[in-house]
Amino acid sequence: KQLYLNGAAMEAVFPVSFLFGGQGLNITLTSYMDALNIGLVACREVLPDVEQLANHIVLAFDELKQAMLAGD
């Protein structure tokens, strides 16, 4: 459902987090209205190309959507 603050409609939620000591990757999920938002925070030494992981996540969700639409 739509949320408001002082009469202004909230349009989106952006998941942001941080890494704890010894942690190499943090994946944070939020949902709002009809959207699932994923935030990635990574240590460059552990995961130098976090954008590649983001692209794989998008592809995996696309595959899941197609499988659901096909009734598999």
Side-chain angles (χ1 to χ4, degrees):
K1 97 181 194 188
Q2 183 83 50
L3 297 176
Y4 296 87
L5 178 62
N6 291 331
M10 185 166 72
E11 295 182 8
V13 176
F14 298 95
V16 178
S17 190
F18 54 90
L19 298 176
F20 293 97
Q23 190 178 16
L25 174 66
N26 181 291
I27 302 174
T28 305
L29 301 171
T30 61
S31 63
Y32 179 64
M33 302 287 287
D34 294 329
L36 176 66
N37 300 296
I38 303 172
L40 303 173
V41 177
C43 172
R44 288 186 188 268
E45 294 174 3
V46 175
L47 187 62
D49 191 3
V50 71
E51 186 176 353
Q52 185 178 12
L53 175 60
N55 291 335
H56 286 299
I57 291 172
V58 169
L59 291 174
F61 271 100
D62 287 342
E63 289 176 16
L64 179 60
K65 181 179 177 181
Q66 292 303 317
M68 290 175 56
L69 293 174
D72 293 346

